[in-house]
Amino acid sequence: MSEQSLIFAFLLIYMENKIIDESKQGEALIRETGNKGGKKMFLESYGCQMNFADSEIVASILIDKGYTTTTDYKEADLIFVNTCAIRENAESKVRQRLYDYKKVKKTNKKLLIGVLGCMAERLKSKFLDEEKIVDLVVGPDAYKDLPNLLEEVNEGRNAVNVVLSKDETYGDVSPVRLNSNGVSAFVSI
């Protein structure tokens, strides 16, 4: 048995009795940074554990670009909803959250709103056309392109990147850890 097969078998056994903590659904990712004057992002995750791991990658990429995190979406300059296309009621939850954000966007015209993850990949530009408040749509293999996509939005264009990649692993990105206890972390397989 190969080393990779052993690791996979161990993870299957370990995860056998684990369930997704539903109390974490929709919880904002928060990470203390030294950049107190930067733009603020509100990053909310729904769905599978992979979405929570991906949110940590997104936070890492944007913190490196000067963003800080906030738990109050009303004070954010950038709101991301990272969501799954598989989980029950995920799409209706996200659409409801988008309507909540629409109210804030009416008073904060500079607010940018994005949908991330496999639901973004599946629905592509429908979020841009139907919701009329989403500025960017980013699939799970395009997070490294976020700084470029944000630049496109800041230049007045909507941005979509949902291209799937056979090679992207984010192995060169050190994710920030959400509510880290210093012992556990997400592992990509």
Side-chain angles (χ1 to χ4, degrees):
M1 189 179 270
S2 73
E3 183 179 339
Q4 188 174 16
S5 296
L6 285 171
I7 292 170
F8 184 70
F10 169 77
L11 289 172
L12 283 177
I13 292 167
Y14 178 76
M15 296 302 291
E16 187 174 79
N17 295 320
K18 302 292 181 187
I19 58 171
I20 294 173
D21 184 354
E22 293 297 327
S23 68
K24 299 280 186 206
Q25 300 293 316
E27 185 176 291
L29 185 142
I30 188 73
R31 174 69 178 190
E32 294 297 322
T33 65
N35 186 5
K36 299 295 182 196
K39 290 186 175 184
K40 295 181 182 179
M41 81 174 131
F42 178 82
L43 182 53
E44 187 172 56
S45 299
Y46 292 94
C48 63
Q49 291 297 327
M50 194 66 202
N51 284 45
F52 289 88
D54 284 354
S55 289
E56 292 178 346
I57 289 169
V58 168
S60 179
I61 290 167
L62 293 178
I63 285 170
D64 284 348
K65 296 298 178 186
Y67 281 84
T68 60
T69 56
T70 180
T71 57
D72 183 0
Y73 69 87
K74 293 176 183 173
E75 69 179 27
D77 300 295
L78 173 63
I79 296 175
F80 280 128
V81 180
N82 189 358
T83 188
C84 181
I86 306 297
R87 303 274 300 176
E88 186 177 332
N89 300 321
E91 188 173 335
S92 61
K93 283 181 186 178
V94 168
R95 289 187 186 274
Q96 181 55 54
R97 290 302 284 165
L98 292 173
Y99 288 115
D100 293 341
Y101 303 146
K102 186 176 186 175
K103 295 172 191 169
V104 177
K105 194 164 185 164
K106 285 181 181 177
T107 59
N108 180 0
K109 301 293 185 195
K110 293 183 179 183
L111 174 64
L112 300 179
I113 300 173
V115 177
L116 309 173
C118 55
M119 182 184 292
E121 188 276 324
R122 184 175 65 84
L123 295 177
K124 296 178 179 68
S125 59
K126 286 184 180 180
F127 277 120
L128 296 167
D129 299 334
E130 292 175 15
E131 306 303 335
K132 303 287 188 205
I133 61 161
V134 176
D135 302 296
L136 62 157
V137 178
V138 184
D141 293 340
Y143 299 141
K144 284 184 182 174
D145 197 27
L146 277 168
N148 297 326
L149 295 170
L150 287 168
E151 191 174 308
E152 280 188 43
V153 171
N154 287 327
E155 292 172 0
R157 297 183 303 270
N158 288 332
V160 178
N161 185 344
V162 293
V163 175
L164 294 176
S165 168
K166 292 181 181 179
D167 302 319
E168 183 56 77
T169 63
Y170 300 109
D172 58 333
V173 176
S174 296
V176 298
R177 296 294 174 213
L178 171 63
N179 299 328
S180 176
N181 60 8
V183 177
S184 64
F186 294 109
V187 177
S188 295
I189 300 175

